[in-house]
Amino acid sequence: MRSSKPRPRSKNNRNNNNNNRSVANVMNRVFDSSGPEGKVRGTPQQIIEKYQQLTRDSQLSGDRVAAENFQQHAEHYMRLQAEAQREIDARREQQDRENREKQVQRDQERNDRSEQQTERVEHNTPPTPSAFDVTDFTDAPQPDFAPLSPIELSQSAPVETQQPEERPKPRVRRRSEKPAATASATPEPARED
């Protein structure tokens, strides 16, 4: 019967993934160290600190052999930690280098696109000289105005004032008259003219 778990394509791929993970895990991994005084448990940094404390205690009590033994155990975990830190730094530098290369490539592609766009614009529209581009204004096209005499300058065209448009007056709505009261009880007296 076949396993439902997918198999890796190659053993090398599996080993590389494990190696990459193990280096990063060394810094945070919990170790059980069997030292002369018994087991010491913790991350490499915690174990180093514990063995250094045991080294100081042994030196204070005058046991040079035990102090040297604790110091060697601490150095072992220092080497593990230093190797893991070197590999982490190397991996970080490699990623930084790759990121810089990708950024340079993206910048180059962006510059190429902008150059292509400017070339398209330049090919589609002919350049028109601007008044600012002309250095000698005597060669620049000048507006053609007929000269005005001083009398023409002093006379000005009459200014027409616009009169407001007449708006139709709004209609006033009249109320309808109330219906006349029905026959009143007392007739009105007749008028005499």
Side-chain angles (χ1 to χ4, degrees):
M1 183 166 194
R2 289 183 94 177
S3 171
S4 63
K5 186 175 179 182
R7 293 171 50 181
R9 293 182 184 226
S10 71
K11 289 184 179 181
N12 291 337
N13 190 19
R14 188 173 0 149
N15 290 338
N16 286 340
N17 288 340
N18 288 339
N19 288 339
N20 289 340
R21 274 190 244 128
S22 67
V23 171
N25 288 340
V26 167
M27 300 297 280
N28 297 321
R29 185 174 155 201
V30 175
F31 289 93
D32 286 329
S33 175
S34 296
E37 291 282 318
K39 285 193 174 190
V40 176
R41 182 176 172 87
T43 64
Q45 184 61 41
Q46 292 170 335
I47 292 174
I48 292 167
E49 290 170 1
K50 179 65 175 174
Y51 279 131
Q52 287 176 341
Q53 181 62 41
L54 290 171
T55 301
R56 285 190 292 272
D57 292 346
S58 297
Q59 287 173 342
L60 290 175
S61 66
D63 189 358
R64 294 186 326 185
V65 174
E68 183 65 28
N69 195 356
F70 289 131
Q71 186 61 38
Q72 288 177 354
H73 279 76
E75 286 175 3
H76 169 70
Y77 285 97
M78 283 182 197
R79 283 192 299 272
L80 275 177
Q81 188 177 26
E83 180 63 28
Q85 188 63 44
R86 268 194 302 273
E87 289 186 28
I88 289 171
D89 291 342
R91 192 177 305 146
R92 183 175 296 135
E93 287 176 12
Q94 176 67 23
Q95 272 192 333
D96 288 347
R97 192 176 318 116
E98 289 173 2
N99 288 341
R100 282 193 300 270
E101 289 171 0
K102 287 178 184 177
Q103 184 64 37
V104 167
Q105 185 178 4
R106 283 193 298 260
D107 290 343
Q108 182 64 34
E109 289 172 359
R110 189 176 302 128
N111 289 338
D112 291 344
R113 281 194 305 262
S114 67
E115 287 175 6
Q116 288 173 355
Q117 288 175 351
T118 56
E119 287 175 3
R120 278 189 228 133
V121 169
E122 289 173 359
H123 290 303
N124 292 340
T125 58
T128 55
S130 165
F132 298 111
D133 294 339
V134 178
T135 54
D136 187 12
F137 290 111
T138 57
D139 294 341
Q142 300 292 322
D144 189 22
F145 291 118
L148 297 176
S149 66
I151 295 173
E152 291 174 333
L153 288 174
S154 65
Q155 296 175 351
S156 63
V159 177
E160 295 181 19
T161 57
Q162 291 183 345
Q163 295 189 6
E165 296 178 14
E166 292 186 26
R167 294 184 185 170
K169 292 183 181 178
R171 290 187 176 179
V172 177
R173 219 174 149 187
R174 295 186 181 175
R175 293 186 189 179
S176 60
E177 294 183 19
K178 292 184 181 178
T182 56
S184 61
T186 57
E188 287 185 27
R191 286 188 175 174
E192 295 178 14
D193 282 305

